[in-house]
Amino acid sequence: EAKRRGRGQAVRYRPGMIEAIAERGHLENDLRHALALSQFHIVYQPIMSLPSDRVVSFEALIRWTHPHRGAVSPTEFIPLAEENGLIVQIGKWVLEQACLEAASWPDEQHLAVNVSAVQLRSPLLLIHVADALARSGLAPHRLELELTETALVEDGHQIAHTLNALRQLGIRIAMDDFGTGYSSFAHLRDLPLDRIKIDRSFVAAALSDKNSLAVVKAVIQMGRDMNIPTLAEGVENADQLDLLRKIGCDAVQGYLIGRPALPAEKKITTQSGLAA
Ligand code: C2E
Ligand code: MG
Ligand code: MG
Ligand code: MG
């Protein structure tokens, strides 16, 4: 905050602010040791293809169990890890673990892994991805990397180069949380993409708000015209699923299809869930 306001601008401390900053410092410090202390694990959420209703893929989502605080949400610690650069090593670990796990799944099941903007800018990403594939033996076409639009804002040329190098390895690229970032349409036009994930805020509102519905429909139609499959995030009820089916969405993900689960529970979900 002080930095943003610039020199000579006093910051007015509100009650609780110092505590909040100190708290953040503690969490960041704990995060530095979390990898070495094996406090992370990965859960997998099913992705169901339409209209076949088959589970075709799983998204890897990191979990951190803090020794005192319990579960800390990735929405809280990933931004911290991005700020201090730890995300590069954490991301490497996720890639390695998730690829190893996915290598034991049936061949037709794919794996999606989130990659942050900071990882994308690091020259290590390509090495980490190639290593994870080599060590696990996972076929590259079974791996999809999910990037958010914010990851794509800076240095378009460098990023297009990295994405092309990744695709030369045979990996797929998805745009995550579509509609929430900046200059979405320029990215759709300029970048090699294999999937568009429509942000769950649009899906959640599609049944009650006609503008949200218009956006969802338009993105699906655009994906169709551009030959890029679309996926709707955050599908929580049958009415939403029916709607998405009707308007031609290619895949869905959300609590209705299955919650993120440990690998052992994931098998049960695939067999007995809606998706079976
Ligand atoms: P995301 O990649 O968009 O992942 C989807 C998030 O939506 C997950 O939250 C998932 O648990 C949640 N979700 C799935 N279905 C539903 C639903 O039906 N309703 C609702 N309300 N939520 C649903 P999660 O696991 O807390 O992750 C949050 C974000 O943290 C992710 O958003 C992703 O941006 C980031 N993240 C998670 N794991 C990793 C990772 O390994 N690396 C990186 N770089 N980021 C990660
Ligand atoms: Mg994602
Ligand atoms: Mg998403
Ligand atoms: Mg999202």
Side-chain angles (χ1 to χ4, degrees), residues 129-140:
V129 170
D131 278 357
L133 289 171
R135 284 190 202 186
S136 62
L138 186 74

Side-chain angles (χ1 to χ4, degrees), residues 1-252:
E1 176 75 1
K3 224 196 225 164
R4 196 165 55 80
R5 294 192 187 196
R7 230 176 282 215
Q9 294 276 316
V11 175
R12 273 231 243 130
Y13 287 100
R14 293 181 302 274
M17 208 163 143
I18 306 236
E19 288 82 350
I21 292 166
E23 167 94 358
R24 207 177 143 82
H26 285 308
L27 200 64
E28 183 175 348
N29 204 41
D30 293 345
L31 191 59
R32 289 184 192 284
H33 307 289
L35 205 51
L37 294 173
S38 306
Q39 290 168 356
F40 294 124
H41 70 276
I42 302 174
V43 287
Y44 298 87
Q45 186 177 32
I47 291 170
M48 186 173 89
S49 194
L50 297 179
S52 72
D53 287 19
R54 296 178 76 89
V55 168
V56 287
S57 185
F58 288 84
E59 178 175 2
L61 295 160
I62 192 169
R63 295 291 178 259
W64 179 21
T65 312
H66 187 280
H68 307 302
R69 295 165 198 243
V72 182
S73 167
T75 58
E76 197 174 339
F77 72 82
I78 294 287
L80 276 183
E82 287 174 333
E83 269 170 45
N84 61 25
L86 280 173
I87 189 68
V88 175
Q89 288 310 310
I90 295 172
K92 174 182 193 276
W93 179 85
V94 172
L95 277 163
E96 260 169 25
Q97 294 301 304
C99 287
L100 270 176
E101 169 61 30
S104 73
W105 301 345
D107 284 345
E108 63 275 14
Q109 289 183 359
H110 293 186
L111 168 72
V113 175
N114 292 286
V115 167
S116 102
V118 179
Q119 288 174 273
L120 198 65
R121 268 184 261 129
S122 163
L124 290 171
L125 178 67
L126 276 171
I127 301 168
H128 292 169
V129 170
D131 278 357
L133 289 171
R135 284 190 202 186
S136 62
L138 186 74
H141 75 270
R142 294 176 63 196
L143 177 62
E144 184 166 296
L145 299 182
E146 297 192 357
L147 313 173
T148 55
E149 292 174 85
T150 34
L152 306 175
V153 172
E154 298 160 46
D155 197 358
H157 284 292
Q158 171 57 36
I159 281 158
H161 173 83
T162 307
L163 294 188
N164 282 316
L166 286 165
R167 278 177 116 226
Q168 268 159 31
L169 291 174
I171 289 160
R172 293 157 201 254
I173 307 291
M175 187 179 283
D176 207 348
D177 305 338
F178 184 77
T180 57
Y182 304 98
S183 57
S184 320
F185 293 101
H187 294 140
L188 280 188
R189 185 192 59 194
D190 300 335
L191 295 169
L193 292 172
D194 302 285
R195 199 203 281 275
I196 299 168
K197 298 187 78 169
I198 305 168
D199 191 68
R200 76 175 143 87
S201 57
F202 297 103
V203 176
L207 285 164
S208 57
D209 168 45
K210 69 175 178 18
N211 288 353
S212 296
L213 176 60
V215 170
V216 173
K217 280 181 169 169
V219 176
I220 292 170
Q221 183 56 47
M222 194 174 52
R224 205 178 284 144
D225 293 343
M226 296 176 98
N227 237 331
I228 307 174
T230 48
L231 176 152
E233 297 189 298
V235 177
E236 294 184 350
N237 62 59
D239 291 341
Q240 290 167 343
L241 178 60
D242 288 345
L243 170 72
L244 291 158
R245 220 189 267 287
K246 205 174 72 194
I247 61 183
C249 195
D250 299 293
V252 286

